[in-house]
Amino acid sequence: MKIVIATSNKGKIKEFSEFFGNKVIAYSDIIEPFEIEEDGDSFASNALIKARAIYDKLGSNSIVIADDSGITVPALNNEPNIFSARYAGVGASDKENLKKLISELGKANIKKTPAYYTAAIALVCEQGEFVVHGWMHGDVIDEIKGDGGFGYDPMFIPEGHEQTLGELPKETKNDFSHRTKALRLITPIIEMVKATKVKDKMLK
Ligand code: ITT
């Protein structure tokens, strides 16, 4: 049974697939993609909103996971945080959001400052709802370096490194990223849910 990922973000789909291999499928490969209003006040609540929306469409036999994530810059009053995807306005592209963060650093006269990524991963299935978190700390800089990764990666230097995630190989990010840490936590829950489903079927 494949796990359905409730996201339209290509960067996330790529990283989920690198982590799980062919055990996952994007929801847009099964049903017509649709708009989900992310009006929660935390990463966890928005991840749950997305996972529930797809689970409701697919039915009780499915196992759905969603990711809500973003970058937080303490020196900029903790912006953009849960608004990372719409920092430059609703419907803004990754590039526009990245440039907006660079321009906010410029306005504050900051060349380099601590920042961190958060990922909340929600799992929704017949057996219940689960949410886990992962974080990655480092610095943001006031320029774009490299073109690897996605989103804010070309301006983010992870702790212990000299280069941005846009310059470092994807394997480096996948080793310790916020998303990978959260996915490592959700993996045993997925296994438990799958095993419970098999057991329930045998008892029927
Ligand atoms: P879905 O809701 O369809 O999953 P989204 O792009 O709208 O896609 P979010 O609401 O979770 O996803 O917003 C996350 C934003 O935070 C995303 O647009 C990126 O700009 C940024 N982001 C999250 N994780 C990132 C990462 O690993 N690398 C770079 N930027 C990241």
Side-chain angles (χ1 to χ4, degrees):
M1 168 183 223
K2 291 209 183 200
I3 312 299
V4 178
I5 329 170
T7 181
S8 308
N9 181 312
K10 290 198 173 74
K12 290 186 191 177
I13 293 173
K14 196 164 167 282
E15 291 185 7
F16 271 87
S17 303
E18 281 160 7
F19 185 89
F20 285 116
N22 64 359
K23 286 187 238 152
V24 288
I25 183 162
Y27 89 94
S28 52
D29 287 340
I30 313 173
I31 55 174
E32 191 62 34
F34 62 100
E35 203 58 51
I36 302 170
E37 198 187 347
E38 298 174 35
D39 55 2
D41 59 3
S42 65
F43 290 110
S45 54
N46 280 331
L48 273 169
I49 287 169
K50 290 186 263 192
R52 284 180 191 141
I54 304 302
Y55 177 79
D56 287 347
K57 290 259 184 209
L58 295 180
S60 64
N61 200 31
S62 55
I63 300 175
V64 180
I65 54 177
D67 164 310
D68 199 70
S69 44
I71 194 164
T72 305
V73 185
L76 295 179
N77 293 320
N78 290 326
E79 288 181 14
N81 201 258
I82 61 167
F83 303 107
S84 295
R86 45 197 145 130
Y87 195 34
V90 176
S93 67
D94 272 11
K95 250 299 160 36
E96 288 164 340
N97 289 326
L98 177 73
K99 284 187 177 159
K100 161 89 175 159
L101 185 50
I102 288 174
S103 108
E104 292 302 315
L105 290 177
K107 280 188 214 159
N109 239 333
I110 297 170
K111 293 206 88 51
K112 185 177 182 178
T113 186
Y116 60 91
Y117 278 115
T118 305
I121 305 265
L123 183 156
V124 174
C125 62
E126 200 178 9
Q127 286 77 8
E129 298 183 335
F130 308 82
V131 185
V132 297
H133 288 86
W135 289 273
M136 171 167 53
H137 289 264
D139 289 303
V140 281
I141 54 171
D142 65 345
E143 58 183 315
I144 294 175
K145 284 190 172 178
D147 54 10
F150 68 98
Y152 298 92
D153 286 345
M155 65 181 295
F156 185 86
I157 301 177
E159 237 169 46
H161 292 266
E162 302 293 327
Q163 291 173 299
T164 69
L165 288 175
E167 298 171 296
L168 290 163
K170 67 176 186 206
E171 290 78 13
T172 306
K173 179 182 182 189
N174 288 348
D175 246 9
F176 54 73
S177 79
H178 49 311
R179 186 159 296 104
T180 299
K181 286 176 191 159
L183 288 174
R184 285 186 187 131
L185 285 174
I186 207 75
T187 300
I189 302 175
I190 293 173
E191 294 309 321
M192 181 190 69
V193 165
K194 277 184 166 174
T196 309
K197 277 191 179 294
V198 170
K199 216 169 170 189
D200 284 354
K201 233 183 185 168
M202 282 161 63
L203 289 173
K204 268 183 194 161

